[in-house]
Amino acid sequence: MSRRRYAVCGLSNRGVTSFVCPLLGVRAGEDTELGFGANHEDYSSHGGLVAVVDPDKERVAQFNAELIPPGHPRVPWYPPDQFGAMIEQDRPDTVIVASPDHTHTDYILAALERGVDVITEKPMVTTAADARRVLAAERASPANVLVTHNLRYVRRHQQIKRLVRDGAVGRPTYVTLEYHVDIRHGASYFLRWNRRRALSGGLSVHKGAHHLDLVSWWLDDVPERVYAVGGRSYYGPDSPHRPRSADGTTYSGRELRARDPYFRAQVGSGAFPDDAATDRVGFLGLTYPHQYPAGREMYLYDDEIDIEDTYSSLLSYSNGASLSYTIDFSSPWEGYRLVINGTHGQLETMSGRLPDGTPLGDSSSIIYRPLFGEPETIEVQTVTGGHGGADPLMRRDIFVEPSAASRELGLAASSLEGAVAVAAGEAIWRSSAEGRVIELRELLGEELDG
Ligand SMILES: NC(=O)c1ccc[n+]([C@@H]2O[C@H](COP(=O)([O-])OP(=O)(O)OC[C@H]3O[C@@H](n4cnc5c(N)ncnc54)[C@H](O)[C@@H]3O)[C@@H](O)[C@H]2O)c1
């Protein structure tokens, strides 16, 4: 068996737990509430990690020193401006892009230019304009781009795809997807690079891309038109939760942390840095000396926060269905409620949890209600592992070979599908900012015909 050679761009939380450790066969810790981990998988006989590209030399050195078992070779490090040299020297077959979202485009284009395949984290890029550059570059290259829309791999989501495909609801008419991100997970985005649109595309792109991709995939359709209302209701300088003294003065540092309701709700959870003077610790105990240098204060009420935390949107699809999609990033519970209505029936599922872990809904079932007939509860096999068991299934597909389910359902997302998800997310924030309907064609042009 030939082992593929992989280079990983971004020794991120996601990169290290989802790709680097499984490729090296290094144990990557237990499940975390943010959905990573639990991947005691060993793909080292299928692929080799030839390089890690990251501006943070110290973080990579920490990884090599603390997480690579004695006797194993250390991972070779390259800074971003040495990407070309890395390709020349280490000759990867595939580049895995797991760096902050705004850095994806450059790596994807540089790899395609050199004829090297790309597996990129979602969102593929942060703007529809960049998505078009990627699609054009892929056409001109012998290499391919695959986007890790991992939520497709959740067994319940696979089953929904089958039911819709097989006509259980007839022709889909409208979908409602109500998504909530809880106070802990939601607040964490506003304490990381994600809080700036230039870096993440905003949360309708960074997070919404997951959900918008799922709906397009379930319906086997693409959105045409988007209207949305969104804003910042919880975080940023005008937050109603920002602690102030009686005369309206705001706080900073320890005083602010002591009064911050989000911080107080999560002390010791690891989701918030306990003290700005100490290092920010990510998964597997790795710090971020470059990205979050010690002493750099970040609060939920900072002026640089320029993204929305709440959206309510309506999307129409080319085959006539519509989607009502809402998402907020400061909810008392985390999860979603989904209803797919069609001319002949309805599918409904709900899955979530309270902050103390109490489950809400039932992630192992889907309720099917034919229009004329008895409702049926369809049980779905649950799988352990990150993102509802999706991540291990996706990794097996990527590193070994596509499973039968993957081939049957088209689980691997193409660059065009990645582009549509990004454009739909961009249309949501643009519509809300400009107060008008956005046509997806305005953003993706003739690419939509591909
Ligand atoms: N599919 C999923 O479910 C999922 C989940 C989480 C994150 N993600 C994606 O994974 C990616 C990483 O997110 P994260 O939150 O794990 O990141 P992170 O903040 O944990 O880490 C970012 C890493 O990238 C490095 N970096 C910064 N600039 C870089 C550059 N120009 N080139 C290479 N590396 C650079 C930083 O030094 C750091 O090591 C993002 O694209 C994110 O959207 C996907």
Side-chain angles (χ1 to χ4, degrees), residues 12-14 54 101 104 107 121-122 150 193 288 291:
S12 53
N13 272 345
R14 180 72 178 164
D54 194 301
D101 304 345
H104 293 187
Y107 286 126
E121 262 307 335
K122 59 45 62 182
N150 48 332
W193 53 264
Y288 295 92
Q291 188 165 273

Side-chain angles (χ1 to χ4, degrees), residues 113-339:
E113 206 174 276
R114 292 166 174 83
V116 177
D117 286 335
V118 177
I119 295 173
T120 182
E121 262 307 335
K122 59 45 62 182
M124 182 174 83
V125 291
T126 52
T127 64
D130 276 354
R132 293 174 77 161
R133 293 169 68 203
V134 166
L135 294 172
E138 191 183 22
R139 275 195 294 276
S141 169
N144 292 311
V145 178
L146 183 148
V147 186
T148 59
H149 277 302
N150 48 332
L151 292 194
R152 293 183 178 194
Y153 288 78
V154 173
R155 293 262 204 235
R156 189 171 65 261
H157 298 166
Q158 296 187 29
Q159 188 59 24
I160 291 169
K161 170 82 178 163
R162 276 192 192 94
L163 287 162
V164 175
R165 179 200 64 187
D166 296 346
V169 299
R171 177 175 60 75
T173 50
Y174 74 98
V175 178
T176 56
L177 177 56
E178 171 195 341
Y179 205 100
H180 298 280
V181 184
D182 69 21
I183 51 168
R184 176 162 161 181
H185 186 186
S188 78
Y189 290 105
F190 292 82
L191 292 170
R192 298 184 275 146
W193 53 264
N194 314 58
R195 68 194 196 156
R196 290 181 49 208
R197 184 161 349 261
L199 308 189
S200 68
L203 291 170
S204 60
V205 174
H206 174 80
K207 185 75 174 170
H210 271 308
H211 313 137
L212 296 161
D213 173 67
L214 273 179
V215 176
S216 296
W217 177 64
W218 283 326
L219 300 183
D220 193 18
D221 205 348
V222 283
E224 273 187 339
R225 223 161 278 132
V226 179
Y227 182 72
V229 178
R232 229 175 0 262
S233 308
Y234 304 98
Y235 309 108
D238 301 324
S239 162
H241 303 298
R242 183 177 197 174
R244 291 175 196 272
S245 66
D247 65 1
T249 312
T250 54
Y251 298 97
S252 61
R254 292 224 161 89
E255 278 192 315
L256 172 54
R257 273 192 293 279
R259 291 174 169 83
D260 182 344
Y262 287 97
F263 182 79
R264 288 161 66 100
Q266 300 165 67
V267 171
S269 69
F272 277 62
D274 287 341
D275 190 329
T278 61
D279 287 324
R280 177 85 65 105
V281 182
F283 292 163
L284 310 184
L286 295 174
T287 62
Y288 295 92
H290 179 85
Q291 188 165 273
Y292 305 123
R296 182 179 169 207
E297 310 243 334
M298 278 176 120
Y299 299 104
L300 295 173
Y301 315 107
D302 291 338
D303 289 335
E304 77 164 9
I305 292 172
D306 66 356
I307 59 167
E308 301 79 20
D309 55 29
T310 321
Y311 304 102
S312 175
S313 59
L314 185 64
L315 292 84
S316 65
Y317 286 74
S318 63
N319 290 332
S322 64
L323 163 68
S324 160
Y325 171 54
T326 56
I327 184 163
D328 70 89
F329 291 83
S330 182
S331 171
W333 63 283
E334 171 121 1
Y336 69 86
R337 222 182 250 126
L338 168 78
V339 184

